[in-house]
Amino acid sequence: MADVAEKAGVSRALVSIVFRNQPGASEETRQRVLRVADEIGYRPDSAARLLARGRSRTLGVMFNLEQTFHTNLIEGIYPEAEHLGYEVLLSGATPARSEEKAVEALLSHRCEAVILLGSFAEPAFLDELGQRVVTVSVSRRVPKARVDFVHSAEGKGVRQAMDHLVELGHRRIVHIDGGRGPGSVDRRRSYRAAMRRHGLEAEARVIPGEHDERAGIEAGRLLVAERDQGLPLPTAVLAGNDRCAMGLLMALTRAGVEVPRDMSVVGYDDSHLSHLMPIGLTTVRQDAVLMAEHAVRFAVERLEKPESEPREAVLDPQLVVRGTSGPAPETAA
């Protein structure tokens, strides 16, 4: 700022007035200051100004680089944060970089609040983090932790998917579990409950997995190997999420299993992957934009009112029927 003032032939205070867009400088002086600033490449440091006032007005977002649904969430976080006057700083967790490190990086950059997308962290860590800074957990609920929660009603989503498959005549419906992934416990529990409700408890089967393509590929190979040994294929599979469903579809295609003629496949999330497949994926849609908006609002409202208690938003999912689900094969028992 001093360099701009010297070259423009004005005081530093006048430069400050111009960049804060305050009255006190003539239009000619204003334009001269802006022109000089542009020539020497000066940009006002808004972060420094905010920190001088004790605020950064920055929301930190921890996400998993491998989860495509997190991209959908981030796309919704940016506009809502900007609308409320906040910046967004991202920090990714990878197999080689823990969530704890990703979160500490956000805090070291003075983020005022942290939004965690699909956190796998231990409940104790989440509770301790919530005591230190305003924290919002998206897609995962941890009872008693002092954080805000935003997630979909997993049970409703699974019920919609299962009802859809049963109405199509499916009885041998398998679920590929999501392991420790967010929502997996509720989805697994809801799958078993739906099988009981439809009188199919004896047919219920859960294949251990994860929220990734590898789990879907391995489950597909297992089912095909069982078929080759004379066991019947399931007529439908409810995958833990869209990535798992994609891996399953890859394995089935390679083995000559036609979807949905031989087997129906349903995913969960309605991430952008569901639109990129040759056959549109039937999946349970979580409203990423609405989830993101709730997460940002929860964070900002607790920053503005520190005495307020954490809240929880449970959003309704919606089944989206596309090309990977169809009637059960006529040869199915």
Side-chain angles (χ1 to χ4, degrees), residues 246 249-250 253 259 273-281 323-324:
M246 172 174 263
L249 289 171
M250 292 169 60
T253 300
V259 175
L273 281 179
S274 61
H275 308 281
L276 299 178
M277 301 178 186
I279 305 176
L281 177 66
T324 60

mmCIF file of all heavy atoms in Angstrom, residues 246 249-250 253 259 273-281 323-324:
data_model
loop_
_atom_site.group_PDB
_atom_site.id
_atom_site.type_symbol
_atom_site.label_atom_id
_atom_site.label_comp_id
_atom_site.label_asym_id
_atom_site.label_seq_id
_atom_site.Cartn_x
_atom_site.Cartn_y
_atom_site.Cartn_z
ATOM 1 N N MET A 246 -20.826 -49.018 -9.635
ATOM 2 C CA MET A 246 -20.056 -48.947 -10.878
ATOM 3 C C MET A 246 -19.082 -50.119 -10.972
ATOM 4 O O MET A 246 -18.943 -50.751 -12.042
ATOM 5 C CB MET A 246 -19.304 -47.624 -10.969
ATOM 6 C CG MET A 246 -18.337 -47.557 -12.140
ATOM 7 S SD MET A 246 -17.568 -45.936 -12.344
ATOM 8 C CE MET A 246 -18.610 -45.231 -13.608
ATOM 9 N N LEU A 249 -21.007 -53.245 -11.837
ATOM 10 C CA LEU A 249 -21.391 -53.255 -13.255
ATOM 11 C C LEU A 249 -20.213 -53.641 -14.147
ATOM 12 O O LEU A 249 -20.377 -54.377 -15.129
ATOM 13 C CB LEU A 249 -21.941 -51.895 -13.658
ATOM 14 C CG LEU A 249 -23.317 -51.527 -13.086
ATOM 15 C CD1 LEU A 249 -23.649 -50.074 -13.379
ATOM 16 C CD2 LEU A 249 -24.396 -52.431 -13.664
ATOM 17 N N MET A 250 -19.026 -53.164 -13.823
ATOM 18 C CA MET A 250 -17.831 -53.513 -14.596
ATOM 19 C C MET A 250 -17.581 -55.016 -14.535
ATOM 20 O O MET A 250 -17.323 -55.663 -15.565
ATOM 21 C CB MET A 250 -16.621 -52.750 -14.055
ATOM 22 C CG MET A 250 -16.668 -51.258 -14.290
ATOM 23 S SD MET A 250 -15.375 -50.360 -13.365
ATOM 24 C CE MET A 250 -13.893 -51.111 -14.035
ATOM 25 N N THR A 253 -20.334 -56.970 -16.478
ATOM 26 C CA THR A 253 -20.186 -56.816 -17.928
ATOM 27 C C THR A 253 -19.091 -57.725 -18.457
ATOM 28 O O THR A 253 -19.248 -58.391 -19.491
ATOM 29 C CB THR A 253 -19.882 -55.355 -18.285
ATOM 30 O OG1 THR A 253 -20.960 -54.531 -17.842
ATOM 31 C CG2 THR A 253 -19.699 -55.188 -19.782
ATOM 32 N N VAL A 259 -27.182 -56.479 -17.604
ATOM 33 C CA VAL A 259 -27.966 -55.653 -16.681
ATOM 34 C C VAL A 259 -28.898 -54.772 -17.497
ATOM 35 O O VAL A 259 -28.464 -54.120 -18.443
ATOM 36 C CB VAL A 259 -27.034 -54.784 -15.812
ATOM 37 C CG1 VAL A 259 -27.841 -53.838 -14.925
ATOM 38 C CG2 VAL A 259 -26.115 -55.652 -14.957
ATOM 39 N N LEU A 273 -21.372 -39.814 -11.215
ATOM 40 C CA LEU A 273 -21.046 -41.089 -11.850
ATOM 41 C C LEU A 273 -22.293 -41.750 -12.432
ATOM 42 O O LEU A 273 -22.216 -42.422 -13.459
ATOM 43 C CB LEU A 273 -20.419 -42.043 -10.826
ATOM 44 C CG LEU A 273 -18.946 -41.861 -10.460
ATOM 45 C CD1 LEU A 273 -18.555 -42.895 -9.419
ATOM 46 C CD2 LEU A 273 -18.063 -41.979 -11.687
ATOM 47 N N SER A 274 -23.426 -41.577 -11.759
ATOM 48 C CA SER A 274 -24.646 -42.251 -12.193
ATOM 49 C C SER A 274 -25.111 -41.787 -13.565
ATOM 50 O O SER A 274 -25.881 -42.470 -14.233
ATOM 51 C CB SER A 274 -25.762 -42.009 -11.169
ATOM 52 O OG SER A 274 -26.045 -40.631 -11.054
ATOM 53 N N HIS A 275 -24.602 -40.623 -13.995
ATOM 54 C CA HIS A 275 -24.999 -40.095 -15.301
ATOM 55 C C HIS A 275 -23.976 -40.430 -16.388
ATOM 56 O O HIS A 275 -24.228 -40.202 -17.566
ATOM 57 C CB HIS A 275 -25.156 -38.575 -15.222
ATOM 58 C CG HIS A 275 -26.033 -38.104 -14.108
ATOM 59 N ND1 HIS A 275 -27.415 -38.130 -14.167
ATOM 60 C CD2 HIS A 275 -25.728 -37.617 -12.877
ATOM 61 C CE1 HIS A 275 -27.919 -37.667 -13.034
ATOM 62 N NE2 HIS A 275 -26.914 -37.350 -12.237
ATOM 63 N N LEU A 276 -22.815 -40.944 -15.989
ATOM 64 C CA LEU A 276 -21.732 -41.172 -16.940
ATOM 65 C C LEU A 276 -21.693 -42.591 -17.482
ATOM 66 O O LEU A 276 -20.962 -42.877 -18.414
ATOM 67 C CB LEU A 276 -20.379 -40.855 -16.271
ATOM 68 C CG LEU A 276 -20.189 -39.420 -15.787
ATOM 69 C CD1 LEU A 276 -18.831 -39.272 -15.114
ATOM 70 C CD2 LEU A 276 -20.314 -38.439 -16.942
ATOM 71 N N MET A 277 -22.465 -43.492 -16.898
ATOM 72 C CA MET A 277 -22.442 -44.885 -17.323
ATOM 73 C C MET A 277 -23.210 -45.067 -18.627
ATOM 74 O O MET A 277 -24.138 -44.317 -18.930
ATOM 75 C CB MET A 277 -23.063 -45.763 -16.228
ATOM 76 C CG MET A 277 -22.346 -45.667 -14.894
ATOM 77 S SD MET A 277 -23.165 -46.675 -13.635
ATOM 78 C CE MET A 277 -22.214 -46.219 -12.182
ATOM 79 N N PRO A 278 -22.818 -46.088 -19.414
ATOM 80 C CA PRO A 278 -23.561 -46.368 -20.657
ATOM 81 C C PRO A 278 -25.042 -46.591 -20.401
ATOM 82 O O PRO A 278 -25.900 -46.190 -21.176
ATOM 83 C CB PRO A 278 -22.871 -47.640 -21.173
ATOM 84 C CG PRO A 278 -21.498 -47.595 -20.602
ATOM 85 C CD PRO A 278 -21.653 -46.969 -19.243
ATOM 86 N N ILE A 279 -25.350 -47.270 -19.280
ATOM 87 C CA ILE A 279 -26.743 -47.433 -18.854
ATOM 88 C C ILE A 279 -26.927 -46.572 -17.609
ATOM 89 O O ILE A 279 -26.169 -46.696 -16.655
ATOM 90 C CB ILE A 279 -27.055 -48.904 -18.488
ATOM 91 C CG1 ILE A 279 -26.714 -49.835 -19.646
ATOM 92 C CG2 ILE A 279 -28.519 -49.061 -18.102
ATOM 93 C CD1 ILE A 279 -26.908 -51.297 -19.323
ATOM 94 N N GLY A 280 -27.897 -45.694 -17.621
ATOM 95 C CA GLY A 280 -28.124 -44.842 -16.467
ATOM 96 C C GLY A 280 -28.367 -45.674 -15.215
ATOM 97 O O GLY A 280 -29.118 -46.650 -15.236
ATOM 98 N N LEU A 281 -27.737 -45.298 -14.120
ATOM 99 C CA LEU A 281 -27.816 -46.070 -12.879
ATOM 100 C C LEU A 281 -29.062 -45.700 -12.080
ATOM 101 O O LEU A 281 -29.292 -44.536 -11.750
ATOM 102 C CB LEU A 281 -26.571 -45.806 -12.032
ATOM 103 C CG LEU A 281 -26.517 -46.484 -10.656
ATOM 104 C CD1 LEU A 281 -26.422 -48.007 -10.806
ATOM 105 C CD2 LEU A 281 -25.341 -45.951 -9.845
ATOM 106 N N GLY A 323 -31.827 -47.038 -16.013
ATOM 107 C CA GLY A 323 -31.794 -48.252 -16.826
ATOM 108 C C GLY A 323 -31.243 -49.504 -16.196
ATOM 109 O O GLY A 323 -31.283 -50.569 -16.818
ATOM 110 N N THR A 324 -30.714 -49.455 -14.970
ATOM 111 C CA THR A 324 -30.096 -50.656 -14.406
ATOM 112 C C THR A 324 -31.052 -51.495 -13.567
ATOM 113 O O THR A 324 -30.633 -52.492 -12.985
ATOM 114 C CB THR A 324 -28.868 -50.295 -13.540
ATOM 115 O OG1 THR A 324 -29.280 -49.432 -12.470
ATOM 116 C CG2 THR A 324 -27.795 -49.617 -14.371
#
